[in-house]
Amino acid sequence: MTGKKNENKTINRIKKYDYIFLSSKKILKSFADIFKIANKNTKIVSTGYPRLDYFKKFKSNNKKHIIIAPANFLAYPDHSLIYYINTIIETIKKISNLKIIFRPHPANRVFFNNTKVNKYVDSFLKKYALDKNIILDFSENYSKSYYNSVFMITDLSSTAFTYSFLTYKPVIFFSPKEKLFKKNYNKLNHFKDRKKIGIVNNNIKSLEKSVVSLLHNSKKFKKSIKDVKSKLDYVGKSKSKTLWEIRKIIETN
């Protein structure tokens, strides 16, 4: 999922690789079908999800935040929550005293540093620059923000699954163009598994109800999140599996 405009570029880059490592056997076939790897010598290998190894020991009891983490709005202009960000924040503030962590996609940081103009970002910065309850998070290591939150709000960002697999906390997917999203991505596990790790909303009214629901019970998705995570391969052992595969490649060649 790189956005339709960038998909062909991504496919052409991927075709040049001899080996591709993916997080589970579950997605090997769908990946090969979607990207139709032209180089028949390309080998796709399941090596697990290294991020889950790296962050697994982090603990925190300071759960006083709601985190908002949108996808790259340049890649997904039809689906980004950035165009609703002020309304989303005001909705949360109306029903909760929790602080809000807003974590832009790394590719969009330049807009938040005022080096380029984007009217939605500019409106956000002007409105919340002095608001102590709004935290703009540019940190490279997102584990602290993730673990210190009650739940996440995102659009179609894959960070939703990273978040849930690390913390066992739910995600609200804000999808104002759900029909278009379904048309483009309904075959992907990302689309199929969203309701197993959280709630899908396509308007502010339903999002407000979901926020209230998760504020009262953010643990109700814990079991289903664990079930989805269990489908991954080499959980907790991904680094060693990846290293083993690399050594095997080197020795073979």
Side-chain angles (χ1 to χ4, degrees):
M1 294 177 62
T2 58
K4 288 295 181 182
K5 291 182 180 179
N6 298 321
E7 196 167 87
N8 287 333
K9 292 181 181 179
T10 303
I11 290 171
N12 288 331
R13 285 200 300 267
I14 286 175
K15 286 177 179 178
K16 299 175 184 178
Y17 288 97
D18 298 306
Y19 297 89
I20 300 173
F21 292 173
L22 298 178
S23 61
S24 70
K25 297 182 183 71
K26 180 180 178 181
I27 64 171
L28 295 186
K29 185 179 184 302
S30 61
F31 183 91
D33 289 344
I34 290 170
F35 290 98
K36 295 180 174 62
I37 305 299
N39 179 2
K40 299 304 179 182
N41 293 320
T42 298
K43 295 181 180 179
I44 306 176
V45 184
S46 172
T47 56
Y49 201 176
R51 292 182 187 180
L52 300 186
D53 290 10
Y54 184 73
F55 291 120
K56 65 180 179 178
K57 294 181 180 179
F58 190 93
K59 301 288 183 181
S60 175
N61 295 316
N62 182 28
K63 301 176 181 65
K64 298 180 180 179
H65 305 86
I66 294 171
I67 185 166
I68 302 176
N72 180 354
F73 61 72
L74 299 177
Y76 304 102
D78 293 328
H79 303 286
S80 177
L81 64 73
I82 192 70
Y83 309 114
Y84 303 83
I85 186 59
N86 288 350
T87 306
I88 291 172
I89 288 177
E90 290 304 311
T91 299
I92 296 171
K93 290 176 70 175
K94 182 176 69 174
I95 56 182
S96 169
N97 293 321
L98 294 179
K99 291 186 177 183
I100 298 169
I101 299 173
F102 184 77
R103 183 176 175 84
H105 188 278
N108 301 145
R109 288 178 183 173
V110 64
F111 291 93
F112 289 85
N113 289 325
N114 289 318
T115 57
K116 291 188 178 181
V117 177
N118 177 284
K119 65 179 181 179
Y120 296 98
V121 173
D122 188 52
S123 171
F124 170 86
L125 292 172
K126 286 179 179 177
K127 188 167 186 176
Y128 299 111
L130 301 177
D131 191 329
K132 294 181 180 179
N133 288 318
I134 308 297
I135 302 166
L136 194 58
D137 179 14
F138 287 138
S139 62
E140 296 298 330
N141 186 334
Y142 47 70
S143 58
K144 185 176 180 181
S145 292
Y146 280 17
Y147 280 96
N148 284 340
S149 61
V150 179
F151 58 86
M152 172 182 280
I153 298 175
T154 188
D155 33 44
L156 75 174
S157 176
S158 61
T159 199
F161 288 87
T162 303
Y163 175 81
S164 282
F165 293 159
L166 286 173
T167 66
Y168 297 116
K169 298 172 190 175
V171 176
I172 294 175
F173 294 90
F174 186 67
S175 181
K177 295 185 179 180
E178 179 68 6
K179 289 183 179 179
L180 179 61
F181 183 51
K182 182 177 182 179
K183 178 182 177 181
N184 291 337
Y185 302 115
N186 68 313
K187 293 182 181 180
L188 299 181
N189 290 315
H190 177 101
F191 178 86
K192 297 175 183 177
D193 289 340
R194 288 179 304 163
K195 291 183 180 180
K196 296 177 184 177
I197 70 166
I199 306 170
V200 178
N201 297 139
N202 53 25
N203 58 63
I204 295 296
K205 187 175 180 180
S206 62
L207 180 137
E208 181 175 349
K209 291 180 180 179
S210 296
V211 170
V212 171
S213 174
L214 294 185
L215 284 173
H216 285 89
N217 184 10
S218 63
K219 296 181 179 180
K220 64 181 181 180
F221 285 94
K222 188 172 182 178
K223 184 179 183 301
S224 57
I225 291 170
K226 286 185 175 181
D227 289 342
V228 177
K229 183 179 177 179
S230 70
K231 303 295 192 300
L232 297 177
D233 300 329
Y234 310 106
V235 175
K237 300 178 181 178
S238 179
K239 287 187 288 187
S240 58
K241 170 62 176 175
T242 301
L243 182 60
W244 187 85
E245 289 291 346
I246 292 172
R247 284 174 174 167
K248 186 171 70 170
I249 290 168
I250 292 171
E251 290 172 0
T252 303
N253 292 281

